[in-house]
Amino acid sequence: MEDSAHPKRAVTVADVAKAAKVSKATAARVLGGYGVVSAKITDRVMAAAAALEYRPNELARSMSTGRSGIIGVVVGDIENAFFSLAVRGISDAARLAGFNVIIANSGEELDAEKSAVDLLIGKRVDGLIVTPARCDSIDHLQHIRRAGVPLVLFDRAIPELDVDAVTGDDRDAAIAATRHLIGQGHRHLAYISAMDAEGGGLTDIGRISNSAVRERVEGFVSVLTEAGLPNPLHYVRLGATNQQQTDSVIKHLLSDSAAPTALLASDSLVGLRIFKSLQSLGLSIPRDVSMISFLDADWTSVTVPPITIVDQRVYEMGKLAGERLIARIERTPLAVERLCVSTSLVLRGSVATIDR
């Protein structure tokens, strides 16, 4: 039995060289994957490494090769199915290219995002994919570029930063969803987001620091304006950050003198909270209130009725972000782009038709 007070010493390159009866330099070339070594010697070194259960020192490898083989990813909220799917796409792209992934969760808090970025740069990651909590605070993102670390933004774009971004077609997606509701006869619609805001209301779209939310609100408001509906910003409600806050938002909306007959949820977490709020009030979807949610989360297809959704193709977005970052790490010559992944509206049973 191994003595826990005297743990086993880590196996070194020198140990592998001795067991394989080769020089340390030759063992290092085989284990590091560089230089020219015969197949016979390579097999002998690898067999010795396996027998000794050799594990490479990643820090030493990164110092000698200039590469850690690691990609850092900072997401807004790993609890959100959107980011879980995105991370799967990023990880699959990274694995195919021989990279590992370290994930950090900012909780959509700027300070937590800054700390995560500092930590990952300190770990010598080869590149970073970041979902910025705020698109109007970019000093720490500029620091990534100054440090010479390739950066790709995910879900949100910051043109001033001049780096690649992979996003959905947020404005067009909101336009399609809102037009569908208008086409079904709805004239009182509300857009509900988890973005925090004093009072939960909105007087200026430009104040929205999250580019994805801002573009969706722009799309929503443009359709209401196009349809000649008055005061469209009145029905943009922020602050649905948890179930209690969402309950409050829904109660205030439904007590309005012109209560909405249809709701558009900014993401699947907000959509689920809205669904629970309506259930707690004894309201039926779509008989009492119609609803559309962004993202084809699992819950949206098992409710009664299933929820009409904006399918965002998030796995593809994540995979594309991973591939783009790897191309930057490999110094592939590419123009800086915003890569926009198209969405589609999936019609289910949560939208009623209202006779005009």
Side-chain angles (χ1 to χ4, degrees), residues 4-294:
S4 60
H6 298 87
K8 182 179 177 182
R9 178 178 66 83
V11 176
T12 67
V13 173
D15 295 328
V16 174
K18 183 178 179 181
K21 295 183 172 56
V22 298
S23 71
K24 183 178 175 181
T26 297
R29 282 197 294 274
V30 173
L31 298 172
Y34 61 89
V36 179
V37 183
S38 71
K40 181 178 179 181
I41 295 297
T42 296
D43 289 344
R44 206 159 80 204
V45 170
M46 294 306 291
L52 294 172
E53 298 183 351
Y54 169 77
R55 296 291 181 271
N57 183 324
E58 296 297 343
L59 178 58
R61 175 186 287 180
S62 70
M63 292 178 69
S64 63
T65 65
R67 291 276 185 89
S68 66
I70 298 171
I71 288 171
V73 180
V74 183
V75 296
D77 183 0
I78 200 66
E79 181 188 0
N80 192 325
F82 176 90
F83 290 115
S84 300
L85 281 169
V87 166
R88 189 185 305 168
I90 293 168
S91 298
D92 285 353
R95 186 177 65 254
L96 285 172
F99 288 85
N100 292 310
V101 175
I102 297 178
I103 303 164
N105 187 52
S106 73
E108 299 288 6
E109 295 289 339
L110 183 60
D111 287 344
E113 180 184 310
K114 290 178 178 178
S115 295
V117 166
D118 286 344
L119 175 67
L120 291 168
I121 289 177
K123 288 188 176 296
R124 297 175 178 269
V125 294
D126 294 327
L128 278 165
I129 296 173
V130 177
T131 300
R134 298 186 63 92
C135 296
D136 57 359
S137 183
I138 62 174
D139 286 350
H140 62 299
L141 300 177
Q142 290 173 328
H143 172 66
I144 296 172
R145 300 192 66 205
R146 288 193 296 268
V149 178
L151 169 65
V152 171
L153 301 183
F154 181 77
D155 185 47
R156 297 152 202 181
I158 306 175
E160 300 83 359
L161 202 56
D162 195 33
V163 298
D164 297 314
V166 177
T167 72
D169 59 348
D170 294 299
R171 194 175 192 277
D172 289 345
I175 286 173
T178 310
R179 280 183 177 160
H180 177 66
L181 294 172
I182 293 287
Q184 296 306 111
H186 294 274
R187 289 298 178 269
H188 300 290
L189 295 75
Y191 179 94
I192 303 172
S193 170
M195 274 206 67
D196 206 1
E198 187 175 344
L202 181 68
T203 57
D204 179 9
I205 295 176
R207 288 178 50 221
I208 300 176
S209 62
N210 179 320
S211 68
V213 174
R214 183 175 64 247
E215 291 174 13
R216 290 175 196 176
V217 171
E218 286 172 348
F220 174 79
V221 168
S222 72
V223 175
L224 267 59
T225 301
E226 173 186 281
L229 303 179
N231 196 15
L233 281 182
H234 174 71
Y235 290 105
V236 176
R237 298 299 172 96
L238 311 180
T241 53
N242 56 42
Q243 191 61 54
Q244 183 178 3
Q245 291 297 108
T246 305
D247 290 345
S248 177
V249 168
I250 295 298
K251 285 177 182 176
H252 278 93
L253 274 171
L254 296 181
S255 65
D256 195 283
S257 58
T261 60
L263 307 173
L264 178 55
S266 63
D267 63 57
S268 63
L269 277 181
V270 171
L272 182 56
R273 291 173 193 144
I274 291 171
F275 183 84
K276 290 179 178 178
S277 293
L278 295 174
Q279 275 194 325
S280 69
L281 293 170
L283 297 176
S284 172
I285 299 173
R287 186 188 64 208
D288 299 313
V289 183
S290 292
M291 176 181 170
I292 296 178
S293 177
F294 273 75

